[in-house]
Amino acid sequence: MARTPHSSTTKADPNECNDAQIAWHALTIPAILQKLGTDQTPGLSEDEARKRLETYGRNRLQASHRISPWALLLEQFKNVLVIILLLAVVVSAVLGHEVEAIAIGVIVLFAVLLGFIQEYRAERAIDALRKMAAPTATVLRDGEEREVPAEEVVPGDVILLKAGDRIPADARMMESMSLHADEAALTGESVPVGKISDVVAQENASLGDRRNMVYSGTTATYGRGTALVVATGMMSEFGKIAGLLETVETSDTPLQRNLDKVGNTLAKIAFVVVAIIVALGYFRGQSLLEMLIFGIALAVAVVPEALPAVVTISLAIGVQRMVRRHALVRRLPAVETLGSTSIICTDKTGTLTKDEMTVRRIFVGGELIDVAGAGYAPTGSFSVDGKLIEPSHPLTDLLHAGVLCSDARLIEAEGLWDVRGDPTEGALVVAAAKAGFQKEVLDEQFPRTAEIPFTSETKRMTTLHTTSQGSVAYAKGAGEIILESCSRWLTSNGEVELTMEDRAQITAQARTMAEGALRVLGIARKTTPSLDGAEEGMTFLGLVGMIDPPRPEAKEAIHTCKHAGIRTIMITGDHPLTAQAVARELNLLDGGRVITGAELEEMSESDFRREVENIDVYARVSPSHKLRVVTALQEKGHIVAMTGDGVNDAPALKKADIGIAMGITGTDVTKEAAAMMLTDDNFASIVAAVEEGRGIFGNIKKYLMYLLSSNIGEILLMVGATALGLPAPLTAVQILYINLATDGLPALALAVDPPEPDLMRRPPRDPRVGIFTRPVVTLLVVAGTWSMVLNLIIFTWAMRSGRTSNEAMTMVFASLVVIEFLKAYIFRSDRQSTFRHPFANKWLNIAILWELVLLGLIIYVPLLHIPFGTYALSLNDWLIIVGLAVTIVPLLELCKWMVRRKWFGAVI
């Protein structure tokens, strides 16, 4: 290659170096060196690199718009319920009721801070993952190789690349020694692309056709090479797409809209009811100040104070549980949509499969050997027809050859196994490790002296090693290529001539493996002093069939999805046969079709919309097809979750109802576009997140039913008493206590209620149907109305039986508290009987016990009688209270029975 010297201190024009219009792939190396002011041999000087860093900026993607901590905090106050409560705090404080003001203020502060902390932590978690992914780069500076942080790479740097390196910037290849790069994240190409240093003449060539370029964020998988950096940061191809990608727009979820609607409705009801009752009391001769205080207490009774806190706590706890199950949700309310998901569109590689090539079958010496184990962990056995065998000749000969003819290495870190280098070679190294052969030991025992690297033209790799029997060449490659170069083959009886029958048997076996979606390699050897003529007259050792195996947990997760009414669709860039084999093994194919990207291109929009619900697997598709699939499914009314890792997946992730980015292999751009991120890139984690989403929504519904039925009961009691011309059945302090203490703790306990057993056996919830369906409203109204009736009966009887107003109020106070305790257990489900595992929620049990203790203190400690207006009740009083209160249990059980039979409409 011609080398044109240039001073490394030559000034490069910033506008020219980072000019997006320059077709770097169409320029010669000398022309690029001149434009960039770089010398190929020593690279840039450190001084020049520092100057260029100041000129071009750091080599990193700019984060999309970040919400500041103050904005996050302010966002928590944009809630009708919070605003009403803050007004109640102000009025209480002005009127001198500091205790009430402080109590309400603490609740508000608690809800606001909890919401802020959770959302702030979610934002910072994304940042942490970005920092963890920051790589280093090997550059040539001042004639020496140096490792620098990738963000310090500048245009004009000469970078050195080898298998396993993450490419730090867009660069033009100067030399390529069989370098291959995985560009799936950028182009959607599912196989590594071989790199060249020659000029690509076509200026408008697509990214995938610019084989003399390597791109930031992609990975070198094989070979080595040197390249000249031409674009960094936001001027790289990744940066351009990130710049075009709009900031993810967020809108209120149905739950948020429902809660806001509830808040607005309750605010209006509170204003009207409080105004009427205060006016009636004033006209009856009660003091205006006393009625205003009572009005505030009544407003508190109408508004469920604990609602913002409990909603936030439930979402926060659910999100924390999701993190433990490897799913990170960026915004709390997005959790709700997970419970409505009806279709999950998932990638195959790394999500349904382990993304770890694994040897499944070996044909050696005329025998077919099965290899157990999945992934890179070197654990597994060898068997023939189901019978375990100990690895021996000729299997060990093949395993030795496969390892020695590979560059990949098996490494362990913190109990996790990984491969550095080409995944195919890694599979051979792992298979040998299962038999007890370590690559490091074999490399030391049989050192490599020469090699003929793999090329796309020869489809093989040959290495020469020193052994005790002399120099031996080992080769691996496409099965048919290796077989053609062999004249003998190894059997259990030693080397024999390779007959036409033998060749036919081997070819048939290779075809059978390939039809089973296995990638097939042939392995051979030859004793020879040099590589000259080494690839002729070799001894065939055998065939190795490998595949990226399905994750064991993915099969169970898909089974769970089917029971939950969720359909799983595979979308992959892999070969249709491979995709079909994996789908069959996972029981994902459910009578649907398997189509390729080419077939999808040929389908009209109307034909595709008609067929989209009958397609289970999309193979050989590009990321651009994902958007079309999502749109078609959404037009059919489905709630779609979509996974993605490449930059080009970002539009589909934004379009999907739940965009799911891969935390390990995903790019920063997809992580920004997604609503959720998997920290382990595992399909089972998506299903776990859906289960958590359903559980969270279920718990929100439970405590909404509990809180609102309690508040309805209280407000109806006050309205009923006023309508009947009775005095107020509760004092302001009693109302505040019931709402802030009695209602609050059980509601918080319901936020962590265990999920119902049949949660993942129910169909997805229709997102167009809110929480307040006809069955739910029926339960709320029945519970609230019956509570009013019972308490009015108790209050009227107590007043007419000669008891003082304090005694009558205390009986109503105690009755209301007991009824609400019973409702806390009843509303653990809106459909199942209360008597199925009634005490499964330990936190609810503790909350009720604690509240019973407090209730006893308020009623029986004389010191508390004056502030709470209570009186020590007798045993007969308690018998009357409890006897009437428990009647709410059979009434609501009857309602649930009717709900299960859909008397009031469908249950969600």
Side-chain angles (χ1 to χ4, degrees), residues 349-389:
T349 305
T351 308
L352 290 172
T353 65
K354 293 179 72 69
D355 196 16
E356 298 175 358
M357 289 296 285
T358 304
V359 173
R360 280 282 183 88
R361 293 211 172 110
I362 299 175
F363 180 71
V364 61
E367 278 191 319
L368 188 62
I369 299 172
D370 292 312
V371 185
Y376 293 148
T379 54
S381 56
F382 299 82
S383 62
V384 177
D385 295 328
K387 296 179 181 178
L388 294 178
I389 63 167

Side-chain angles (χ1 to χ4, degrees), residues 75-186:
E75 195 70 26
Q76 310 306 314
F77 289 93
K78 296 179 181 178
N79 181 297
V80 175
L81 299 181
V82 170
I83 292 169
I84 292 172
L85 292 174
L86 288 175
L87 289 173
V89 170
V90 172
V91 175
S92 297
V94 169
L95 294 176
H97 292 267
E98 292 83 2
V99 175
E100 290 88 341
I102 292 170
I104 301 171
V106 167
I107 289 285
V108 174
L109 188 63
F110 183 63
V112 165
L113 287 179
L114 195 65
F116 166 75
I117 290 167
Q118 180 56 38
E119 294 201 15
Y120 181 80
R121 285 177 62 186
E123 289 290 329
R124 299 292 80 77
I126 302 291
D127 289 340
L129 282 172
R130 180 184 288 110
K131 289 174 184 174
M132 287 168 60
T136 58
T138 304
V139 300
L140 195 65
R141 288 187 182 166
D142 291 322
E144 297 179 359
E145 290 185 19
R146 296 180 185 175
E147 190 168 287
V148 300
E151 62 178 34
E152 293 181 10
V153 171
V154 296
D157 260 328
V158 176
I159 54 175
L160 309 179
L161 304 170
K162 64 181 184 301
D165 285 352
R166 185 170 175 187
I167 294 164
D170 289 5
R172 169 74 156 81
M173 291 302 304
M174 299 166 70
E175 292 178 297
S176 173
M177 280 68 79
S178 301
L179 182 72
H180 284 64
D182 179 0
E183 297 179 346
L186 184 64

Side-chain angles (χ1 to χ4, degrees), residues 167-316:
I167 294 164
D170 289 5
R172 169 74 156 81
M173 291 302 304
M174 299 166 70
E175 292 178 297
S176 173
M177 280 68 79
S178 301
L179 182 72
H180 284 64
D182 179 0
E183 297 179 346
L186 184 64
T187 65
E189 180 66 45
S190 61
V191 295
V193 179
K195 294 300 175 181
I196 59 175
S197 57
D198 300 333
V199 171
V200 175
Q202 189 179 356
E203 286 198 13
N204 62 349
S206 66
L207 290 180
D209 293 329
R210 299 177 190 176
R211 294 184 57 204
N212 60 0
M213 297 288 295
V214 287
Y215 296 104
S216 168
T218 61
T219 307
T221 60
Y222 185 86
R224 60 185 188 274
T226 59
L228 184 61
V229 174
V230 296
T232 58
M234 295 303 288
M235 296 307 297
S236 67
E237 291 299 331
F238 267 30
K240 291 174 193 173
I241 297 173
L244 292 172
L245 189 66
E246 295 175 357
T247 304
V248 181
E249 295 179 3
T250 58
S251 58
D252 287 348
T253 67
L255 174 62
Q256 285 175 305
R257 290 192 290 272
N258 261 305
L259 294 181
D260 284 344
K261 187 177 179 181
V262 169
N264 286 321
T265 303
L266 290 177
K268 292 172 185 175
I269 292 172
F271 178 79
V272 173
V273 172
V274 169
I276 292 171
I277 292 178
V278 169
L280 285 174
Y282 177 71
F283 287 122
R284 284 179 181 172
Q286 293 174 277
S287 75
L288 180 61
L289 182 60
E290 181 185 345
M291 290 312 299
L292 283 174
I293 294 169
F294 185 76
I296 292 169
L298 196 55
V300 172
V302 176
V303 179
E305 297 81 6
L307 184 57
V310 177
V311 169
T312 305
I313 288 168
S314 184
L315 290 172

Side-chain angles (χ1 to χ4, degrees), residues 460-463 472-476 482-489 495 498 503 523-528 533-541:
R460 65 186 296 162
M461 175 182 180
T462 307
T463 59
V472 177
Y474 296 103
K476 72 174 189 305
I482 296 297
L483 185 59
E484 282 177 13
S485 66
C486 294
S487 57
R488 301 170 66 80
W489 77 314
E495 293 187 12
L498 196 58
R503 289 181 185 275
I523 297 179
R525 74 181 181 196
K526 180 181 180 180
T527 301
T528 176
E535 296 181 335
E536 297 174 0
M538 303 190 83
T539 299
F540 188 78
L541 299 181

Side-chain angles (χ1 to χ4, degrees), residues 575-903:
H575 193 279
L577 276 178
T578 307
Q580 193 167 1
V582 171
R584 278 211 179 93
E585 192 168 339
L586 291 170
N587 293 330
L588 187 148
L589 278 176
D590 202 8
R593 293 173 55 191
V594 178
I595 73 165
T596 63
E599 292 171 318
L600 182 58
E601 289 286 352
E602 291 174 3
M603 295 177 75
S604 67
E605 283 301 322
S606 58
D607 288 342
F608 181 51
R609 278 197 296 271
R610 189 169 56 252
E611 290 293 322
V612 69
E613 292 183 306
N614 301 319
I615 302 170
D616 286 336
V617 176
Y618 296 84
R620 280 284 189 251
V621 296
S622 66
S624 60
H625 291 134
K626 288 188 175 184
L627 185 60
R628 190 177 175 192
V629 174
V630 171
T631 303
L633 289 169
Q634 287 176 329
E635 286 175 354
K636 289 283 188 177
H638 294 288
I639 302 300
V640 183
M642 168 70 79
T643 69
D645 53 9
V647 172
N648 286 352
D649 291 334
L653 294 189
K654 287 183 68 178
K655 176 66 176 172
D657 298 281
I658 286 286
I660 304 170
M662 301 294 111
I664 298 173
T665 60
T667 60
D668 286 345
V669 178
T670 51
K671 291 173 187 175
E672 292 292 341
M676 187 176 90
M677 184 163 53
L678 302 183
T679 57
D680 63 349
D681 293 8
N682 191 339
F683 178 79
S685 299
I686 303 174
V687 181
V690 170
E691 184 177 359
E692 290 291 349
R694 288 189 176 191
I696 290 167
F697 187 85
N699 286 352
I700 289 172
K701 184 165 69 172
K702 291 172 190 178
Y703 61 67
L704 272 176
M705 291 169 65
Y706 169 67
L707 286 175
L708 293 180
S709 72
S710 300
N711 289 4
I712 288 171
E714 291 166 30
I715 197 68
L716 287 179
L717 172 63
M718 306 307 291
V719 171
T722 303
L724 294 173
L726 298 172
L730 293 170
T731 68
V733 173
Q734 286 171 348
I735 292 174
L736 286 170
Y737 177 81
I738 289 171
N739 281 270
L740 298 177
T742 305
D743 286 355
L745 280 180
L748 292 175
L750 285 174
V752 292
D753 200 51
E756 294 183 55
D758 64 341
L759 189 66
M760 290 300 281
R761 292 194 294 274
R762 301 175 187 171
R765 181 180 58 82
D766 186 344
R768 292 168 297 186
V769 179
I771 289 178
F772 303 103
T773 58
R774 191 178 298 172
V776 169
V777 171
T778 301
L779 287 169
L780 289 177
V781 172
V782 169
T785 304
W786 191 245
S787 174
M788 172 200 71
V789 170
L790 292 177
N791 285 299
L792 281 177
I793 289 172
I794 289 173
F795 189 63
T796 305
W797 173 82
M799 292 294 288
R800 290 180 179 176
S801 63
R803 284 172 166 78
T804 64
S805 61
N806 265 15
E807 291 179 71
M809 284 183 175
T810 303
M811 290 185 73
V812 171
F813 175 65
S815 168
L816 199 55
V817 171
V818 171
I819 288 171
E820 294 189 5
F821 287 168
L822 291 171
K823 285 194 292 188
Y825 286 102
I826 292 168
F827 285 133
R828 286 191 58 238
S829 175
D830 62 338
R831 67 192 78 189
Q832 302 298 339
S833 171
T834 309
F835 301 105
R836 290 181 59 179
H837 313 293
F839 304 112
N841 187 339
K842 67 175 183 179
W843 298 110
L844 181 58
N845 299 335
I846 292 169
I848 297 298
L849 285 173
W850 171 248
E851 292 296 343
L852 283 171
V853 170
L854 291 181
L855 179 63
L857 292 175
I858 289 169
I859 291 176
Y860 292 105
V861 174
L863 188 64
L864 299 176
H865 286 175
I866 294 175
F868 282 94
T870 51
Y871 176 87
L873 298 174
S874 66
L875 178 60
N876 285 337
D877 293 336
W878 277 113
L879 289 174
I880 294 168
I881 290 167
V882 174
L884 286 173
V886 294
T887 60
I888 200 165
V889 177
L891 179 65
L892 291 181
E893 281 295 302
L894 176 63
C895 287
K896 286 188 186 181
W897 179 83
M898 296 167 74
V899 166
R900 289 196 293 273
R901 279 149 186 79
K902 300 181 181 178
W903 284 31

